[in-house]
Each structure stands twice: as structure tokens, then as C-alpha cells.
Amino acid sequence: MSAFPQPLTGIAAPLDAGALRDNVDTDAIIPSREMRSTGRTGLADGLFAPWRYSDADARIENPDFVLNQPEFRDASILLCGANFGCGSSREHAVWALAEYGIKVVIAESFAPIFYGNCIRNFILPITLERSALTVLTGREITVDLAAQTADCGDATYSFEIDAEAKQMLTEGLDAIDLTLTQAQAITNWTVSDKAARPWVYLEHST
């Protein structure tokens, strides 16, 4: 798996430029009609389809949508309001963001399942106060996961992240990889437990 880039510098695209949207659900991020496969690829074109296109079927872009504007078209950092990623738990929403090239989502708050899906797909979710998001809007930001900071030159904001999630992102580990980092401890426990409770490990003949 690919680890989170250290550090990452990119333009922060606000969703939307006028006012950060609250309660953006996963159906807005990737509508069900855009989910044409069960795989992780082929989803980027459907990202934010209801807002990104004036005609989604013909893929006619809406010039007012932030990611269609020249300065934000290649953005790797997305700024959002409160409760981002609410609604259904579809992991396709995170897959679409990742395939498009979004590496960091900074929001006032996240839906818990969406937040976890970001970590598992190596997108860094950052929670900051709305006042900080206003300062960061449209700016070039350097995100340093090791230091847990987001810096735009004249302001630096610290963010919290769980140690396990940070390790997964830093080392490019999925949930199985993370478990296997404790392989020796698991083996040691099994040996000890077999000695203490041998009857548990008896094989039963049929």
C-alpha cells in the first residue's frame, strides 16, 4: 500500500467557495448511479457528479463548481464544513476521492464511518475549527502528518489523530498489515496459552 506523502503541499479547494458546505453525504460525493463496479477504480469521473456537471450524462462541466475552476482543478486538499461524509457507509465515496487525487480532507467534523474509511484508504482526515478553515481556504497548505500540523505560511494549525491511524497512514498499512506488526507477540501469547490451557487445543476426532 502507498503511505501518506510526507509532508504534502497542495492547494486547499473549498467545497464551496462561497461557504463551506455542511452535511455533505456520500451520495453527493459519489451518487449510486455512478457506482458501476464494485472495484476501487473508474469512480473519479463520478465524484461530486450532481454539482460538478450541468449535464452528468454528457459530462458537461459546471464552470461554477470549485473543482472545475483552473486554480483548483488539480487540488489535493479539500476543505469542507461539518458532518462531511454522512449518510450511507459506502466506501466508494472515499475511493472516488482517492482516485481523483484528494490526499487530505479538512473539515469541521466527519461522519465516523467515513472518517475510518479515509484512514483505511490513505486519505488523511483532519478536523479543525471553522475559523481555521476560513483562513486556509484557497491557500497553499503544507500538511505534516509527523508533526500533525497544517501550515499556510502565516498560520499553523495543529490537529489530532489517533496513534494507530497515524501509523497506518505513515507506514502504508491496511488493517491486516497492522495486525501482522504484532505477529511475534501473537505467537508468544499462543505458545504461552497452549502451555497454560492445553485442553483448548486438543483436536477432536469425528
Side-chain angles (χ1 to χ4, degrees):
M1 296 288 184
S2 299
F4 181 82
Q6 287 284 5
L8 180 140
T9 299
I11 298 296
L15 190 69
D16 270 339
L20 295 173
R21 296 194 189 210
D22 294 328
N23 303 311
V24 174
D25 63 31
T26 52
D27 194 56
I29 298 171
I30 182 74
S32 56
R33 65 179 177 274
E34 299 288 344
M35 295 159 50
R36 299 182 177 126
S37 74
T38 57
R40 300 180 181 221
T41 58
L43 298 168
D45 278 353
L47 180 68
F48 297 122
W51 305 327
R52 189 171 160 197
Y53 305 109
S54 56
D55 184 335
D57 292 332
R59 290 302 196 240
I60 298 173
E61 291 187 350
N62 171 12
D64 295 328
F65 183 64
V66 62
L67 294 181
N68 293 334
Q69 296 168 10
E71 64 269 35
F72 297 123
R73 188 174 288 274
D74 296 320
S76 57
I77 302 171
L78 191 65
L79 301 182
C80 314
N83 199 29
F84 187 72
C86 58
S88 74
S89 59
R90 68 183 64 164
E91 198 169 4
H92 292 72
V94 175
W95 294 347
L97 288 164
E99 188 180 32
Y100 182 87
I102 300 298
K103 304 292 186 185
V104 180
V105 180
I106 307 177
E108 190 173 3
S109 61
F110 292 90
I113 292 176
F114 179 86
Y115 184 96
N117 284 341
C118 282
I119 298 296
R120 286 190 289 275
N121 289 279
F122 307 105
I123 291 177
L124 172 59
I126 296 175
T127 303
L128 292 178
E129 296 290 336
R130 195 127 189 160
S131 57
L133 295 170
T134 300
V135 173
L136 297 175
T137 293
R139 305 283 295 277
E140 184 176 76
I141 302 172
T142 296
V143 175
D144 189 329
L145 177 56
Q148 296 179 208
T149 58
D151 179 85
C152 64
D154 55 7
T156 301
Y157 299 97
S158 297
F159 60 87
E160 298 297 323
I161 185 168
D162 177 84
E164 185 177 282
K166 185 175 182 178
Q167 182 184 3
M168 293 176 74
L169 289 166
T170 302
E171 299 179 22
L173 306 176
D174 62 21
I176 294 174
D177 294 328
L178 188 67
T179 300
L180 291 177
T181 63
Q182 302 298 318
Q184 189 58 56
I186 294 169
T187 298
N188 292 344
W189 182 90
T190 302
V191 170
S192 175
D193 192 56
K194 280 184 177 180
R197 303 187 304 158
W199 60 89
V200 174
Y201 298 87
L202 293 176
E203 294 185 6
H204 298 281
S205 59
T206 57

